[in-house]
Amino acid sequence: MKTILIKDILVSNPDGHTVEIHGWVRTKRDSKNLVFLQINDGSCFASIQATYDRDLDNPNKNDIENQLKRITTGASVKATGKLIPSPASGQAVEVQLEKIEVFGEAPADSYPLQKKGHSVEFLREIAHLRPRTNMIGAAARMRSQMAFAIHSFFNEHGFQYFNAPLITASDCEGAGEMFQVTTLDLDKIAELGIKAGAKGMDPAKAANLVDYSKDFFGKKASLTVSGQLEAETYATALSRVYTFGPTFRAENSNTPRHLAEFWMIEPEMAFYELDDNMDLAEEFVKYLLNWALTNCREDLNFFEQRVQKGLIETLTHVANSDFARVPYTEAVKQLEENNDKFEFKAYWGCDLQTEHERYLTEVLYKRPVMVYDYPKEIKAFYMKENPDGKTVRAVDVLVPGIGELIGGSEREADYDKLMNRITELGMDPKDYWWYLELRKFGTVPHSGFGMGFERLLRYVTGIENIRDVIPYPRAPKQCEF
Ligand code: 4AD
Ligand code: MG
């Protein structure tokens, strides 16, 4: 079956040539002599109208009437007819229906999307059908476009696409928020534990019943929280690489900003210091916003009208503004002056809360802010220490409406310093031997950052909850599909 997409038919010449439309009926309106069908195939936001005029001669009349009876919202059809200029406003062309075939009905009494205006919460419960709605369809196209833009940006900047492993034995962020991957039989181990307990065995010994040497990988393994450590190994060979893939975090955060499975983009660059890193992050964000404004206009117009008023103006403004760059110490001073406005009071050494981040970017600077040089205690082990001994060369990019969009740093390139930090934090250097060797053999200054793909999508669509910009959200107690 060779099909032409509705997005292409909508821009072809309405000179009366015959077209075949394949798609799902969004609405059917039947007035005396005229039947109007809005048909959508998801290739673009707009539907195409097929009009059946009962007054026109048509040898298929009976057949058409029979098929039309079967059609309700959600039915899948093939509609054939002449493409003509549309007399109706808001659409350039329409199809004068001559023949229609129903592939599958969508019974009105059971099809969940029969009526419009469902809540986003309800739509999450029917995640397998929600891409047929305006909002989730538009979000899915934006997601695809943004992925393409990301590859395009890095390709234009001399980066190689690098695929980090998803199963790993090291905890990149050191936050202990990893999902364990195991083939050990947990039920059996629990049973053995109970038996051991019953025999009066001490709990420490019982804990040793879990013998990881017998596990699939012969050691404890987990799903990765970040591809950064592995990306560094390729950046110190290919100069510029980026990852773009799923990452997993078992943090128990039930918020509109967090997912247990999210996609991350992580560029890693040899011979880049923190300033170069910040330049790249700023250029990257602006490139993506410009891409959305140029290539996703129809979907953006929908988000502007139905999801977030002012979205297009905000994105245009940010794409054209210089991001502020503020050291953490200065940012905290400014926040402290406004502590009466916060639930969590800011102080030097605190991890910035979303309310602080948003205050900085929305109220104080009114544009994206890059906060850098954070206290080392609140950042990961791999970040390069500043000469003050207290802060590290970290940067977070904060954007209005979202808070943290990007987190990154210059990496510690000195073997001894990195080793000290690893041991200081009680981590086992043996687990990081290969990472440490990068500092032993041909070490270079290098930097990188990570952008949460779904955070970006929340930003460019205005969609409030992160669970609505990924097809099948994974969050605490949510794994239905
Ligand atoms: O700040 P994070 O934890 O940084 C890293 O993982 C570094 N290894 C990145 C690097 O330097 N290569 O995470 C990076 C970004 C955050 O800024 C945020 O946008 C997103 O990942 N992120 C999440 N997105 C959705 N759900 C979660 N649970 C997220 N955790 C982080
Ligand atoms: Mg972070």
Side-chain angles (χ1 to χ4, degrees), residues 172-173 226 228 249 251 257-259 262 264 266 382 404-408 411 448-452 455 466:
C172 175
E173 294 305 299
S226 156
Q228 177 199 321
R249 295 197 184 177
E251 54 189 326
R257 302 182 305 281
H258 291 93
L259 288 166
F262 63 99
M264 192 159 30
E266 295 185 273
Y382 51 72
E404 179 187 338
L405 173 65
I406 287 177
R411 319 306 188 190
F449 61 81
M451 173 194 273
R455 299 250 174 116
I466 198 163

PDB file of all heavy atoms in Angstrom, residues 172-173 226 228 249 251 257-259 262 264 266 382 404-408 411 448-452 455 466, ligand 1:
ATOM      1  N   CYS A 172      27.856   6.951  38.287  1.00  0.00           N
ATOM      2  CA  CYS A 172      28.454   8.202  37.814  1.00  0.00           C
ATOM      3  C   CYS A 172      28.213   9.358  38.761  1.00  0.00           C
ATOM      4  O   CYS A 172      29.114  10.095  39.107  1.00  0.00           O
ATOM      5  CB  CYS A 172      27.913   8.539  36.429  1.00  0.00           C
ATOM      6  SG  CYS A 172      28.452  10.126  35.801  1.00  0.00           S
ATOM      7  N   GLU A 173      26.974   9.528  39.185  1.00  0.00           N
ATOM      8  CA  GLU A 173      26.663  10.698  40.005  1.00  0.00           C
ATOM      9  C   GLU A 173      26.867  10.432  41.493  1.00  0.00           C
ATOM     10  O   GLU A 173      26.732  11.335  42.307  1.00  0.00           O
ATOM     11  CB  GLU A 173      25.235  11.171  39.734  1.00  0.00           C
ATOM     12  CG  GLU A 173      25.040  11.691  38.317  1.00  0.00           C
ATOM     13  CD  GLU A 173      26.030  12.804  37.955  1.00  0.00           C
ATOM     14  OE1 GLU A 173      26.010  13.843  38.606  1.00  0.00           O
ATOM     15  OE2 GLU A 173      26.833  12.605  37.031  1.00  0.00           O
ATOM     16  N   SER A 226      23.929   7.915  33.903  1.00  0.00           N
ATOM     17  CA  SER A 226      24.556   8.888  33.007  1.00  0.00           C
ATOM     18  C   SER A 226      25.626   8.181  32.193  1.00  0.00           C
ATOM     19  O   SER A 226      26.320   7.320  32.708  1.00  0.00           O
ATOM     20  CB  SER A 226      25.202  10.002  33.840  1.00  0.00           C
ATOM     21  OG  SER A 226      26.243  10.623  33.131  1.00  0.00           O
ATOM     22  N   GLN A 228      28.202   9.642  31.043  1.00  0.00           N
ATOM     23  CA  GLN A 228      29.353  10.548  31.024  1.00  0.00           C
ATOM     24  C   GLN A 228      30.715   9.867  31.169  1.00  0.00           C
ATOM     25  O   GLN A 228      31.637  10.160  30.410  1.00  0.00           O
ATOM     26  CB  GLN A 228      29.200  11.584  32.137  1.00  0.00           C
ATOM     27  CG  GLN A 228      30.376  12.534  32.245  1.00  0.00           C
ATOM     28  CD  GLN A 228      30.421  13.222  33.586  1.00  0.00           C
ATOM     29  OE1 GLN A 228      29.385  13.597  34.123  1.00  0.00           O
ATOM     30  NE2 GLN A 228      31.610  13.394  34.133  1.00  0.00           N
ATOM     31  N   ARG A 249      17.020   6.648  36.851  1.00  0.00           N
ATOM     32  CA  ARG A 249      17.294   7.063  38.232  1.00  0.00           C
ATOM     33  C   ARG A 249      16.176   6.609  39.154  1.00  0.00           C
ATOM     34  O   ARG A 249      15.012   6.929  38.930  1.00  0.00           O
ATOM     35  CB  ARG A 249      17.453   8.580  38.321  1.00  0.00           C
ATOM     36  CG  ARG A 249      18.686   9.004  37.545  1.00  0.00           C
ATOM     37  CD  ARG A 249      19.186  10.363  37.856  1.00  0.00           C
ATOM     38  NE  ARG A 249      20.304  10.634  36.943  1.00  0.00           N
ATOM     39  CZ  ARG A 249      20.965  11.753  36.866  1.00  0.00           C
ATOM     40  NH1 ARG A 249      20.658  12.749  37.663  1.00  0.00           N
ATOM     41  NH2 ARG A 249      21.964  11.885  36.010  1.00  0.00           N
ATOM     42  N   GLU A 251      15.272   7.641  41.909  1.00  0.00           N
ATOM     43  CA  GLU A 251      14.999   8.612  42.977  1.00  0.00           C
ATOM     44  C   GLU A 251      13.495   8.666  43.171  1.00  0.00           C
ATOM     45  O   GLU A 251      12.740   8.646  42.211  1.00  0.00           O
ATOM     46  CB  GLU A 251      15.581   9.992  42.665  1.00  0.00           C
ATOM     47  CG  GLU A 251      15.157  10.572  41.337  1.00  0.00           C
ATOM     48  CD  GLU A 251      15.922  11.836  40.964  1.00  0.00           C
ATOM     49  OE1 GLU A 251      16.268  12.604  41.864  1.00  0.00           O
ATOM     50  OE2 GLU A 251      16.159  12.051  39.768  1.00  0.00           O
ATOM     51  N   ARG A 257       8.873  17.258  37.241  1.00  0.00           N
ATOM     52  CA  ARG A 257      10.190  17.437  36.616  1.00  0.00           C
ATOM     53  C   ARG A 257      11.004  16.159  36.537  1.00  0.00           C
ATOM     54  O   ARG A 257      12.046  16.120  35.900  1.00  0.00           O
ATOM     55  CB  ARG A 257      11.039  18.443  37.419  1.00  0.00           C
ATOM     56  CG  ARG A 257      10.482  19.799  37.594  1.00  0.00           C
ATOM     57  CD  ARG A 257      11.454  20.687  38.361  1.00  0.00           C
ATOM     58  NE  ARG A 257      11.842  20.100  39.657  1.00  0.00           N
ATOM     59  CZ  ARG A 257      11.082  20.144  40.748  1.00  0.00           C
ATOM     60  NH1 ARG A 257       9.914  20.731  40.721  1.00  0.00           N
ATOM     61  NH2 ARG A 257      11.490  19.599  41.880  1.00  0.00           N
ATOM     62  N   HIS A 258      10.573  15.123  37.247  1.00  0.00           N
ATOM     63  CA  HIS A 258      11.410  13.927  37.351  1.00  0.00           C
ATOM     64  C   HIS A 258      10.771  12.694  36.736  1.00  0.00           C
ATOM     65  O   HIS A 258       9.589  12.452  36.896  1.00  0.00           O
ATOM     66  CB  HIS A 258      11.709  13.614  38.823  1.00  0.00           C
ATOM     67  CG  HIS A 258      12.593  14.612  39.467  1.00  0.00           C
ATOM     68  ND1 HIS A 258      12.094  15.691  40.150  1.00  0.00           N
ATOM     69  CD2 HIS A 258      13.939  14.713  39.518  1.00  0.00           C
ATOM     70  CE1 HIS A 258      13.115  16.423  40.607  1.00  0.00           C
ATOM     71  NE2 HIS A 258      14.240  15.845  40.232  1.00  0.00           N
ATOM     72  N   LEU A 259      11.612  11.910  36.066  1.00  0.00           N
ATOM     73  CA  LEU A 259      11.211  10.604  35.568  1.00  0.00           C
ATOM     74  C   LEU A 259      12.221   9.585  36.064  1.00  0.00           C
ATOM     75  O   LEU A 259      13.379   9.920  36.334  1.00  0.00           O
ATOM     76  CB  LEU A 259      11.221  10.595  34.035  1.00  0.00           C
ATOM     77  CG  LEU A 259      10.114  11.377  33.326  1.00  0.00           C
ATOM     78  CD1 LEU A 259      10.465  11.544  31.865  1.00  0.00           C
ATOM     79  CD2 LEU A 259       8.777  10.655  33.486  1.00  0.00           C
ATOM     80  N   PHE A 262      14.630   8.583  31.747  1.00  0.00           N
ATOM     81  CA  PHE A 262      14.585   9.780  30.900  1.00  0.00           C
ATOM     82  C   PHE A 262      15.744   9.743  29.926  1.00  0.00           C
ATOM     83  O   PHE A 262      16.685   8.977  30.094  1.00  0.00           O
ATOM     84  CB  PHE A 262      14.614  11.057  31.749  1.00  0.00           C
ATOM     85  CG  PHE A 262      15.873  11.249  32.563  1.00  0.00           C
ATOM     86  CD1 PHE A 262      16.894  12.081  32.113  1.00  0.00           C
ATOM     87  CD2 PHE A 262      16.039  10.603  33.768  1.00  0.00           C
ATOM     88  CE1 PHE A 262      18.056  12.262  32.866  1.00  0.00           C
ATOM     89  CE2 PHE A 262      17.204  10.770  34.525  1.00  0.00           C
ATOM     90  CZ  PHE A 262      18.203  11.605  34.071  1.00  0.00           C
ATOM     91  N   MET A 264      18.898  11.503  27.984  1.00  0.00           N
ATOM     92  CA  MET A 264      19.852  12.568  28.255  1.00  0.00           C
ATOM     93  C   MET A 264      20.790  12.732  27.061  1.00  0.00           C
ATOM     94  O   MET A 264      21.114  11.772  26.375  1.00  0.00           O
ATOM     95  CB  MET A 264      20.645  12.268  29.536  1.00  0.00           C
ATOM     96  CG  MET A 264      21.396  13.481  29.966  1.00  0.00           C
ATOM     97  SD  MET A 264      21.924  13.621  31.697  1.00  0.00           S
ATOM     98  CE  MET A 264      22.215  12.047  32.321  1.00  0.00           C
ATOM     99  N   GLU A 266      24.511  14.090  26.318  1.00  0.00           N
ATOM    100  CA  GLU A 266      25.724  14.420  27.058  1.00  0.00           C
ATOM    101  C   GLU A 266      26.924  14.633  26.133  1.00  0.00           C
ATOM    102  O   GLU A 266      27.602  13.676  25.769  1.00  0.00           O
ATOM    103  CB  GLU A 266      26.047  13.319  28.077  1.00  0.00           C
ATOM    104  CG  GLU A 266      25.001  13.201  29.167  1.00  0.00           C
ATOM    105  CD  GLU A 266      25.398  12.197  30.242  1.00  0.00           C
ATOM    106  OE1 GLU A 266      25.112  11.004  30.077  1.00  0.00           O
ATOM    107  OE2 GLU A 266      26.000  12.605  31.232  1.00  0.00           O
ATOM    108  N   TYR A 382      33.748  13.850  40.134  1.00  0.00           N
ATOM    109  CA  TYR A 382      34.637  14.009  38.972  1.00  0.00           C
ATOM    110  C   TYR A 382      34.916  15.459  38.591  1.00  0.00           C
ATOM    111  O   TYR A 382      35.602  15.746  37.635  1.00  0.00           O
ATOM    112  CB  TYR A 382      34.031  13.280  37.768  1.00  0.00           C
ATOM    113  CG  TYR A 382      32.573  13.651  37.516  1.00  0.00           C
ATOM    114  CD1 TYR A 382      32.234  14.897  37.007  1.00  0.00           C
ATOM    115  CD2 TYR A 382      31.540  12.754  37.826  1.00  0.00           C
ATOM    116  CE1 TYR A 382      30.902  15.250  36.801  1.00  0.00           C
ATOM    117  CE2 TYR A 382      30.205  13.105  37.624  1.00  0.00           C
ATOM    118  CZ  TYR A 382      29.903  14.349  37.104  1.00  0.00           C
ATOM    119  OH  TYR A 382      28.595  14.690  36.909  1.00  0.00           O
ATOM    120  N   GLU A 404      16.471  23.835  36.506  1.00  0.00           N
ATOM    121  CA  GLU A 404      17.667  23.224  35.906  1.00  0.00           C
ATOM    122  C   GLU A 404      17.341  22.475  34.615  1.00  0.00           C
ATOM    123  O   GLU A 404      16.568  21.525  34.612  1.00  0.00           O
ATOM    124  CB  GLU A 404      18.317  22.269  36.912  1.00  0.00           C
ATOM    125  CG  GLU A 404      19.563  21.589  36.332  1.00  0.00           C
ATOM    126  CD  GLU A 404      20.132  20.503  37.235  1.00  0.00           C
ATOM    127  OE1 GLU A 404      19.870  20.508  38.451  1.00  0.00           O
ATOM    128  OE2 GLU A 404      20.850  19.632  36.690  1.00  0.00           O
ATOM    129  N   LEU A 405      17.980  22.908  33.544  1.00  0.00           N
ATOM    130  CA  LEU A 405      17.838  22.240  32.255  1.00  0.00           C
ATOM    131  C   LEU A 405      19.091  21.421  31.959  1.00  0.00           C
ATOM    132  O   LEU A 405      19.022  20.342  31.377  1.00  0.00           O
ATOM    133  CB  LEU A 405      17.620  23.292  31.156  1.00  0.00           C
ATOM    134  CG  LEU A 405      17.600  22.811  29.716  1.00  0.00           C
ATOM    135  CD1 LEU A 405      16.405  21.900  29.460  1.00  0.00           C
ATOM    136  CD2 LEU A 405      17.561  24.004  28.759  1.00  0.00           C
ATOM    137  N   ILE A 406      20.232  21.973  32.378  1.00  0.00           N
ATOM    138  CA  ILE A 406      21.522  21.344  32.080  1.00  0.00           C
ATOM    139  C   ILE A 406      22.379  21.345  33.336  1.00  0.00           C
ATOM    140  O   ILE A 406      22.358  22.304  34.107  1.00  0.00           O
ATOM    141  CB  ILE A 406      22.250  22.151  30.969  1.00  0.00           C
ATOM    142  CG1 ILE A 406      21.592  21.922  29.609  1.00  0.00           C
ATOM    143  CG2 ILE A 406      23.742  21.836  30.930  1.00  0.00           C
ATOM    144  CD1 ILE A 406      22.201  22.746  28.489  1.00  0.00           C
ATOM    145  N   GLY A 407      23.128  20.249  33.514  1.00  0.00           N
ATOM    146  CA  GLY A 407      24.142  20.208  34.565  1.00  0.00           C
ATOM    147  C   GLY A 407      25.441  19.729  33.945  1.00  0.00           C
ATOM    148  O   GLY A 407      25.428  18.793  33.150  1.00  0.00           O
ATOM    149  N   GLY A 408      26.546  20.385  34.273  1.00  0.00           N
ATOM    150  CA  GLY A 408      27.819  19.958  33.677  1.00  0.00           C
ATOM    151  C   GLY A 408      28.999  20.466  34.472  1.00  0.00           C
ATOM    152  O   GLY A 408      28.836  21.046  35.551  1.00  0.00           O
ATOM    153  N   ARG A 411      36.102  18.590  34.026  1.00  0.00           N
ATOM    154  CA  ARG A 411      36.411  17.364  34.775  1.00  0.00           C
ATOM    155  C   ARG A 411      37.785  17.467  35.436  1.00  0.00           C
ATOM    156  O   ARG A 411      38.684  18.122  34.896  1.00  0.00           O
ATOM    157  CB  ARG A 411      36.398  16.148  33.835  1.00  0.00           C
ATOM    158  CG  ARG A 411      35.281  16.115  32.810  1.00  0.00           C
ATOM    159  CD  ARG A 411      33.904  16.255  33.411  1.00  0.00           C
ATOM    160  NE  ARG A 411      32.848  16.037  32.411  1.00  0.00           N
ATOM    161  CZ  ARG A 411      31.558  16.293  32.619  1.00  0.00           C
ATOM    162  NH1 ARG A 411      31.161  16.813  33.768  1.00  0.00           N
ATOM    163  NH2 ARG A 411      30.664  16.059  31.685  1.00  0.00           N
ATOM    164  N   GLY A 448      32.174  18.766  29.914  1.00  0.00           N
ATOM    165  CA  GLY A 448      30.964  18.279  29.267  1.00  0.00           C
ATOM    166  C   GLY A 448      29.749  18.658  30.089  1.00  0.00           C
ATOM    167  O   GLY A 448      29.864  19.233  31.177  1.00  0.00           O
ATOM    168  N   PHE A 449      28.597  18.343  29.554  1.00  0.00           N
ATOM    169  CA  PHE A 449      27.373  18.605  30.312  1.00  0.00           C
ATOM    170  C   PHE A 449      26.292  17.629  29.894  1.00  0.00           C
ATOM    171  O   PHE A 449      26.429  16.907  28.891  1.00  0.00           O
ATOM    172  CB  PHE A 449      26.908  20.062  30.138  1.00  0.00           C
ATOM    173  CG  PHE A 449      26.582  20.481  28.716  1.00  0.00           C
ATOM    174  CD1 PHE A 449      25.362  20.173  28.130  1.00  0.00           C
ATOM    175  CD2 PHE A 449      27.501  21.217  27.981  1.00  0.00           C
ATOM    176  CE1 PHE A 449      25.055  20.585  26.833  1.00  0.00           C
ATOM    177  CE2 PHE A 449      27.212  21.640  26.671  1.00  0.00           C
ATOM    178  CZ  PHE A 449      25.979  21.315  26.103  1.00  0.00           C
ATOM    179  N   GLY A 450      25.221  17.611  30.674  1.00  0.00           N
ATOM    180  CA  GLY A 450      24.094  16.744  30.352  1.00  0.00           C
ATOM    181  C   GLY A 450      22.805  17.560  30.322  1.00  0.00           C
ATOM    182  O   GLY A 450      22.554  18.370  31.218  1.00  0.00           O
ATOM    183  N   MET A 451      22.037  17.353  29.261  1.00  0.00           N
ATOM    184  CA  MET A 451      20.732  18.015  29.188  1.00  0.00           C
ATOM    185  C   MET A 451      19.646  16.957  29.245  1.00  0.00           C
ATOM    186  O   MET A 451      19.693  15.964  28.509  1.00  0.00           O
ATOM    187  CB  MET A 451      20.602  18.802  27.891  1.00  0.00           C
ATOM    188  CG  MET A 451      19.187  19.368  27.682  1.00  0.00           C
ATOM    189  SD  MET A 451      18.908  19.941  26.005  1.00  0.00           S
ATOM    190  CE  MET A 451      19.514  21.590  26.139  1.00  0.00           C
ATOM    191  N   GLY A 452      18.672  17.153  30.103  1.00  0.00           N
ATOM    192  CA  GLY A 452      17.543  16.234  30.148  1.00  0.00           C
ATOM    193  C   GLY A 452      16.643  16.506  28.952  1.00  0.00           C
ATOM    194  O   GLY A 452      16.128  17.613  28.801  1.00  0.00           O
ATOM    195  N   ARG A 455      13.206  17.586  29.854  1.00  0.00           N
ATOM    196  CA  ARG A 455      13.149  18.959  30.390  1.00  0.00           C
ATOM    197  C   ARG A 455      13.136  19.951  29.236  1.00  0.00           C
ATOM    198  O   ARG A 455      12.410  20.939  29.254  1.00  0.00           O
ATOM    199  CB  ARG A 455      14.364  19.227  31.292  1.00  0.00           C
ATOM    200  CG  ARG A 455      14.441  18.317  32.495  1.00  0.00           C
ATOM    201  CD  ARG A 455      14.160  19.074  33.790  1.00  0.00           C
ATOM    202  NE  ARG A 455      14.098  18.145  34.907  1.00  0.00           N
ATOM    203  CZ  ARG A 455      14.957  18.152  35.918  1.00  0.00           C
ATOM    204  NH1 ARG A 455      15.943  19.031  35.957  1.00  0.00           N
ATOM    205  NH2 ARG A 455      14.820  17.284  36.903  1.00  0.00           N
ATOM    206  N   ILE A 466       6.221  16.523  33.008  1.00  0.00           N
ATOM    207  CA  ILE A 466       7.218  15.796  32.219  1.00  0.00           C
ATOM    208  C   ILE A 466       6.653  14.454  31.695  1.00  0.00           C
ATOM    209  O   ILE A 466       7.105  13.943  30.681  1.00  0.00           O
ATOM    210  CB  ILE A 466       8.493  15.599  33.075  1.00  0.00           C
ATOM    211  CG1 ILE A 466       9.705  15.250  32.196  1.00  0.00           C
ATOM    212  CG2 ILE A 466       8.281  14.554  34.161  1.00  0.00           C
ATOM    213  CD1 ILE A 466      11.030  15.439  32.883  1.00  0.00           C
TER     214      ILE A 466
HETATM  215  O1  4AD B   1      22.702  17.237  36.626  1.00  0.00           O
HETATM  216  P1  4AD B   1      22.765  15.783  36.244  1.00  0.00           P
HETATM  217  O2  4AD B   1      22.555  14.784  37.310  1.00  0.00           O
HETATM  218  O3  4AD B   1      24.183  15.622  35.552  1.00  0.00           O
HETATM  219  C1  4AD B   1      24.719  14.448  35.100  1.00  0.00           C
HETATM  220  O4  4AD B   1      24.167  13.375  35.080  1.00  0.00           O
HETATM  221  C2  4AD B   1      26.077  14.631  34.475  1.00  0.00           C
HETATM  222  N1  4AD B   1      26.722  13.306  34.392  1.00  0.00           N
HETATM  223  C3  4AD B   1      25.944  15.286  33.134  1.00  0.00           C
HETATM  224  C4  4AD B   1      27.254  15.520  32.447  1.00  0.00           C
HETATM  225  O5  4AD B   1      28.013  16.362  32.892  1.00  0.00           O
HETATM  226  N2  4AD B   1      27.544  14.784  31.398  1.00  0.00           N
HETATM  227  O6  4AD B   1      21.702  15.507  35.083  1.00  0.00           O
HETATM  228  C5  4AD B   1      21.764  16.228  33.880  1.00  0.00           C
HETATM  229  C6  4AD B   1      20.392  16.693  33.466  1.00  0.00           C
HETATM  230  C7  4AD B   1      19.711  17.619  34.460  1.00  0.00           C
HETATM  231  O7  4AD B   1      20.142  18.936  34.305  1.00  0.00           O
HETATM  232  C8  4AD B   1      18.257  17.441  34.087  1.00  0.00           C
HETATM  233  O8  4AD B   1      17.920  18.227  32.954  1.00  0.00           O
HETATM  234  C9  4AD B   1      18.197  15.981  33.674  1.00  0.00           C
HETATM  235  O9  4AD B   1      19.515  15.591  33.355  1.00  0.00           O
HETATM  236  N3  4AD B   1      17.682  15.127  34.750  1.00  0.00           N
HETATM  237  C10 4AD B   1      16.445  14.577  34.760  1.00  0.00           C
HETATM  238  N4  4AD B   1      15.425  14.661  33.892  1.00  0.00           N
HETATM  239  C11 4AD B   1      14.294  13.980  34.178  1.00  0.00           C
HETATM  240  N5  4AD B   1      14.141  13.210  35.270  1.00  0.00           N
HETATM  241  C12 4AD B   1      15.134  13.087  36.180  1.00  0.00           C
HETATM  242  N6  4AD B   1      14.976  12.295  37.242  1.00  0.00           N
HETATM  243  C13 4AD B   1      16.362  13.796  35.937  1.00  0.00           C
HETATM  244  N7  4AD B   1      17.539  13.889  36.599  1.00  0.00           N
HETATM  245  C14 4AD B   1      18.312  14.702  35.863  1.00  0.00           C
END
